[in-house]
Amino acid sequence: MTTSTGAPAAPRIPEAVHRRRWAILAVLMLSLLIVVLDNSILNVAIKTISTPDPVGLGATQGELEWAINSYTLVFAGLLFTAGLLGDRLGRKKMLLFGLAVFGIGSALAASSGSPVQLIIFRALMGLGSAFVMPATLAILMNVFERDEQPKAIGIWAGGVGLAIAIGPITGGVLLDHFWWGSVFLINVPIVIVAIALMVFLVPDSRDPKPGRIDLVGVLLSVVGLVLLVYGIIKGGQLADFTDPAVLATAGAGLVVLIGFVLYEKRSDHPSIDISYFKNKVFSAAIAAIGLVFFALMGVTFFSVFYTQSIRGYTPLQTGLLMLPLAAAQIIFSPRARLVVARFGNKAVCTAGMLTIAAMLAAFTILDENTPIWQLEVIFFLMGTGMAHIMTPTSVVIMQALPREKAGSASALSNTFRQVGGALGIAVLGSVLSAAYRSGVEDKLGLLPADLRHTAGESIEATLGVAAKLGPKGQALVGPAHQSFLDAMHTTALCGAAVALIGTVVVALFLPGKPPAEAKAQAEEPVSATIGSD
């Protein structure tokens, strides 16, 4: 690498660290794998967990949404603070701490005796994950030179696809042979291996001028998100988003979040530097990541019920059916940078968002007898669209801020990723729940009055009540299936509409093809402090 004057540019990375950069990336991907693996395993297990004791915990659809979102909301709410702590105290230290907490939370979640305990221990796992995710990307930015960063981020993003592939299959195998808690217990040995490798291979790094911790901002963001998501989920459970309790809770959440933004703008040590969002390219990239995960988490939530409750596939078979989604990300994420180099961020990300929108709309063609290969094509094309959004936008975000702020940039990216996923589950899950209850309600007249509300919560609840009624309950199975399919179609169209909004955002604000001479720009000397422990 040379400067514009022809003189060799001073390397940013110490030679000892540079030599083992690919081994370090492998360890970081293992840490990332644990976090993503957990959610993808849980997606396959939600039907089993909703089954009554002794097979599962008998969790309602609302409790299942909270089992996912308690993790996600703590994760999202603390990501930025965790990133700042990593910048201040050392990213390696925070990564080791996060892995240990995640492992302890996983062991406790595996032994949960009720849905409430599972929700609490999932929140503890979210606390650990909040320290893992931003540290992996921040360390990556500090062990690779700038010209190698897009390639490394592409491989890092491909690791997400690998986890999405491994998770459902691993979950299916475990559920076929062990109890539901095994899907959490499997994290413990992986955590132990990751910690051991981390201690010996990964260097520490920190921001030489770290910011102060914003406790008020953290509290406002977590409270606001929890109230908003609670209101949305409650609206789905009641099939009435105009209920006073729903409007009051969700409205309070929005008010607190507005207060959070106003406080951050005036704070001299904000959790989120609002000024970053004045950059339209940065804002568009962040929004695209949030919208992609909104769609992904919502789709995986209802597709599991489609494959298992409607089509009758086992958890392992369901995991295998999700392979095309993951395979596309593994194949295309590392190569997306090459497509961007040729066509530019705007064209690539717009095409990716359009593909996701079209595939969400394609869910409306699925019914009880649709050839399963059609679902596989939908998953593969959706994964392809995701790969061509996640890698380019991650590079845009990480290179928009100075290297010493890598923890902050990573935390922002992952915060919107997790908030998007949480809202995807809450919004699309609630649309699914409300639409399902509206469709099946008039078919529940033969049930005792005290069972009607419970039976209308989800297809699993309806089928569970039908099974208890014996032959009389068979009359509910057909209407339950049809009501779910109608609700799934409505939900998918809502997701497609959100993806179209994302298409407009990236088409308007992301940059086009970069000029060729930009590749020859000189780079600044390193300012982050990197150790080699």
Side-chain angles (χ1 to χ4, degrees):
M1 184 184 304
T2 59
T3 66
S4 57
T5 61
R12 292 171 175 259
I13 313 299
E15 180 60 29
V17 174
H18 183 72
R19 282 199 305 268
R20 63 178 192 267
R21 65 195 184 283
W22 297 110
I24 292 169
L25 178 60
V27 178
L28 296 177
M29 287 179 64
L30 179 61
S31 303
L32 175 71
L33 183 76
I34 300 167
V35 175
V36 182
L37 183 77
D38 178 72
N39 265 338
S40 58
I41 284 181
L42 183 59
N43 286 334
V44 174
I46 54 178
K47 179 181 180 296
T48 304
I49 294 171
S50 69
T51 306
D53 185 68
V55 175
L57 293 175
T60 65
Q61 181 159 315
E63 288 169 336
L64 288 174
E65 291 177 32
W66 274 113
I68 297 172
N69 279 339
S70 64
Y71 173 95
T72 304
L73 289 174
V74 172
F75 192 178
L78 295 178
L79 266 171
F80 207 85
T81 296
L84 287 175
L85 283 171
D87 290 344
R88 173 184 287 272
L89 302 175
R91 289 142 188 165
K92 176 179 178 177
K93 296 181 184 69
M94 291 300 98
L95 184 50
L96 290 170
F97 169 78
L99 286 171
V101 171
F102 184 84
I104 292 169
S106 297
L108 292 172
S111 61
S112 300
S114 69
V116 172
Q117 288 184 9
L118 178 61
I119 290 168
I120 292 170
F121 295 140
R122 286 278 298 162
L124 181 61
M125 294 170 67
L127 171 65
S129 297
F131 286 88
V132 172
M133 184 72 89
T136 61
L137 201 48
I139 291 172
L140 180 154
M141 298 298 287
N142 279 278
V143 298
F144 283 91
E145 299 289 357
R146 191 175 181 87
D147 59 344
E148 285 188 322
Q149 286 173 4
K151 180 179 181 181
I153 290 175
I155 295 172
W156 181 90
V160 176
L162 180 63
I164 292 174
I166 295 173
I169 297 172
T170 304
V173 171
L174 291 170
L175 291 171
D176 274 0
H177 295 88
F178 305 101
W179 93 115
W180 63 267
S182 61
V183 301
F184 299 112
L185 198 60
I186 190 66
N187 294 328
V188 177
I190 303 176
V191 164
I192 292 171
V193 171
I195 288 176
L197 292 172
M198 192 81 54
V199 168
F200 291 104
L201 280 175
V202 176
D204 207 354
S205 63
R206 59 179 61 84
D207 184 350
K209 297 179 180 178
R212 288 157 52 201
I213 303 303
D214 177 20
L215 295 177
V216 175
V218 172
L219 181 64
L220 288 174
S221 64
V222 172
V223 170
L225 284 169
V226 169
L227 287 173
L228 176 62
V229 170
Y230 179 84
I232 294 169
I233 292 176
K234 191 67 176 176
Q237 289 175 328
L238 299 175
D240 183 6
F241 290 96
T242 63
D243 182 88
V246 172
L247 291 175
T249 308
L254 286 173
V255 169
V256 173
L257 289 174
I258 291 170
F260 165 72
V261 172
L262 294 176
Y263 176 82
E264 296 299 284
K265 288 179 71 175
R266 297 175 181 177
S267 174
D268 60 357
H269 58 287
S271 286
I272 295 178
D273 190 337
I274 304 300
S275 65
Y276 294 157
F277 294 92
K278 293 179 181 178
N279 182 325
K280 293 180 180 179
V281 171
F282 181 85
S283 296
I286 284 281
I289 283 181
L291 292 171
V292 165
F293 269 77
F294 181 100
L296 174 67
M297 296 301 288
V299 166
T300 51
F301 187 80
F302 68 67
S303 63
V304 167
F305 287 102
Y306 171 71
T307 54
Q308 294 187 39
S309 300
I310 301 296
R311 302 302 295 266
Y313 289 102
T314 66
L316 176 57
Q317 290 169 330
T318 296
L320 292 170
L321 288 173
M322 290 184 177
L323 269 179
L325 177 68
Q329 292 183 66
I330 294 171
I331 293 168
F332 295 112
S333 288
R335 294 170 175 79
R337 64 190 175 86
L338 303 176
V339 184
V340 170
R342 181 168 183 179
F343 299 105
N345 283 298
K346 184 190 295 287
V348 173
C349 291
T350 300
M353 290 300 293
L354 272 176
T355 301
I356 290 174
M359 291 308 100
L360 282 164
F363 269 87
T364 58
I365 69 173
L366 302 178
D367 58 32
E368 288 188 82
N369 302 306
T370 303
I372 204 64
W373 64 264
Q374 294 185 18
L375 177 64
E376 300 300 88
V377 171
I378 290 172
F379 276 154
F380 184 81
L381 292 176
M382 182 172 287
T384 301
M386 285 188 64
H388 288 90
I389 297 169
M390 296 307 298
T391 299
T393 52
S394 293
V395 172
V396 167
I397 291 166
M398 294 305 294
Q399 294 190 344
L401 301 181
R403 177 191 294 263
E404 62 270 19
K405 300 296 182 185
S408 300
S410 175
L412 269 173
S413 171
N414 285 296
T415 295
F416 276 78
R417 186 191 308 245
Q418 296 304 318
V419 170
L423 290 176
I425 292 167
V427 173
L428 296 184
S430 295
V431 169
L432 181 73
S433 180
Y436 177 77
R437 185 184 288 279
S438 297
V440 82
E441 215 159 22
D442 60 347
K443 312 295 193 305
L444 303 177
L446 60 87
L447 296 178
D450 60 330
L451 288 179
R452 289 174 196 166
H453 182 80
T454 300
E457 279 195 350
S458 66
I459 185 171
E460 279 304 304
T462 306
L463 296 178
V465 170
K468 291 179 181 178
L469 293 176
K472 291 182 180 179
Q474 286 302 305
L476 289 175
V477 175
H481 283 194
Q482 189 55 53
S483 295
F484 177 84
L485 288 169
D486 292 341
M488 183 180 77
H489 296 161
T490 300
T491 304
L493 289 175
C494 290
V498 171
L500 285 175
I501 293 172
T503 304
V504 174
V505 169
V506 298
L508 288 177
F509 299 116
L510 284 189
K513 186 177 180 180
E517 59 269 20
K519 297 179 181 178
Q521 286 183 344
E523 298 194 349
E524 302 172 1
V526 64
S527 55
T529 304
I530 303 176
S532 57
D533 52 320

